[in-house]
Amino acid sequence: MTPFAPDRPELAVVQHAEWPQCIEEADFIVVTCAAYPQYSRHMLNAEVLAKAKPAYAWSSSAVARGSTNYGADRKAATWTQALQVALVRLNVAVIQGTSDEATALRRHVEGELDAHHSPDLFHGLHEVSKATSLHLVRQSDATVAAAQTRWAVERATQQACEDQSPRPCGRPPAFAARIHAALSEVLQAEIAHTPAQARQCEARELMRELGILYHPYDFERGQAQPVEQVAQRLNGVWTRLGSIAAAAELPTSARERLAKEQRLSPQLLATITFFFATLQGQVDAFVLPLTLERTLVEQLIPALYLERVAARSTHAKSRHRRRTLSRQLHDHKLLKRFLAHGAALPKEELARLGCNAQSTAKQLVWGMWNVGGSLEESA
């Protein structure tokens, strides 16, 4: 609904209306306007949202942040109270919350809301990076830099001694041997620097792998990722990260960080399981014919999910691959299935089923985007 948007031929499908007309027809509500208290404050309030279609609040923190008031603390009860105030008179059910592993937030989501808690991948990847990348960089770069500094000091000392006039009495220091030893250290450090750099690159690739695994669909074929397969690949990632830590002799604090994040694996797997269980429940509620249900679950929803992932990708190659795969899932096979099923149905019934399928797919994809947390973006 864009009452002030200019008329443009290419936007003929855009419906112009005065706010909040047609709000009860909207599948999604997106507000993009300046935050002026005299103009936009409370324009999306409880009265407006009460008219909207029933919805799920997939991330409780997002709803709670709608208020400009700050709580006195970050206890679970404070989060719950803020959310309850934000949801007054709204037709919303909270079924999932995504956050870091703060005890109060988990108690708020799991204990007081009785909702599913999903780990925030951003914080997990940040901890893995602190445990590996920073230490590996410091190790390799610091060793080479220290060796080069010593070599430079030995050469400068020799030059300073030779520049003295008159020269000091007695035998001069063994500058040649000292410089040779310092140069040997530089060469050894640079040789050791190569495997250190390789470990850095491997650690970065493993972090990207973690991001890819924390999605319900794989990015190569657009198919559902079986939880058992994800669990096996996760174990492989943590094993390789442990090997890197051992080979690089990372400090105890770094290894403890890795162990802490590895303990999140069951929660990552539980979130993927939660996604597919919620998906099946939503689809079952429509009582769709088997052909249409399979089309929705196996093609339409994965296509929309990949479309969303592609939109968030900052790397051109990744974005192109995922958009191409999304289009392939949307291709003529999908339309043929709908048409084959629709041959035996009245047009009104086919339109209703198609509309329901599209609405369900979009609702799940947009809501469950919180599952991915931070995308693996550099893959």
Side-chain angles (χ1 to χ4, degrees), residues 141-338:
D141 292 349
T143 303
V144 172
Q148 291 175 338
T149 299
R150 184 188 168 190
W151 183 35
V153 168
E154 295 294 350
R155 287 182 295 158
T157 302
Q158 180 188 30
Q159 187 64 46
C161 182
E162 293 177 352
D163 290 343
Q164 293 184 53
S165 181
R167 292 190 177 183
C169 298
R171 180 181 297 177
F175 288 116
R178 288 161 56 177
I179 291 175
H180 178 74
L183 179 58
S184 296
E185 286 187 16
V186 171
L187 295 176
Q188 291 174 3
E190 290 179 344
I191 292 173
H193 188 257
T194 301
Q197 284 184 316
R199 286 193 287 266
Q200 290 179 46
C201 293
E202 185 179 5
R204 283 195 293 267
E205 289 299 323
L206 291 172
M207 284 190 287
R208 295 187 186 107
E209 178 77 0
L210 286 174
I212 292 173
L213 290 176
Y214 199 31
H215 285 276
Y217 303 104
D218 72 68
F219 293 158
E220 298 300 325
R221 297 172 297 170
Q223 297 180 359
Q225 295 199 96
V227 175
E228 298 78 9
Q229 177 181 315
V230 175
Q232 185 177 7
R233 292 175 64 183
L234 277 175
N235 289 335
V237 169
W238 294 120
T239 299
R240 290 170 63 189
L241 284 171
S243 299
I244 291 174
E249 299 181 347
L250 296 186
T252 302
S253 60
R255 301 189 190 201
E256 289 176 348
R257 285 183 187 274
L258 288 177
K260 177 183 176 182
E261 296 312 309
Q262 184 174 1
R263 290 195 290 270
L264 291 180
S265 291
Q267 296 180 47
L268 303 180
L269 298 173
T271 294
I272 295 176
T273 301
F274 170 80
F275 172 88
F276 287 115
T278 306
L279 165 63
Q280 194 59 52
Q282 292 287 308
V283 173
D284 289 345
F286 285 117
V287 194
L288 300 173
L290 181 60
T291 301
L292 185 57
E293 179 178 320
R294 289 189 59 186
T295 300
L296 175 67
V297 172
E298 296 176 8
Q299 287 190 274
L300 183 57
I301 291 178
L304 291 170
Y305 193 93
L306 289 168
E307 184 179 296
R308 174 71 168 146
V309 171
R312 290 283 295 272
S313 297
T314 57
H315 288 69
K317 290 184 179 180
S318 297
R319 184 167 56 249
H320 176 72
R321 283 201 312 267
R322 284 151 202 173
R323 281 180 175 164
T324 300
L325 182 55
S326 176
R327 293 190 189 102
Q328 290 173 352
L329 292 171
H330 265 118
D331 80 0
H332 63 280
K333 292 181 181 179
L334 179 65
L335 297 178
K336 286 183 177 179
R337 288 187 182 183
F338 272 98

Side-chain angles (χ1 to χ4, degrees), residues 38-49:
Q38 64 270 39
Y39 297 117
S40 57
R41 182 173 175 79
H42 297 312
M43 67 176 292
L44 186 62
N45 54 22
E47 181 179 354
V48 172
L49 290 179

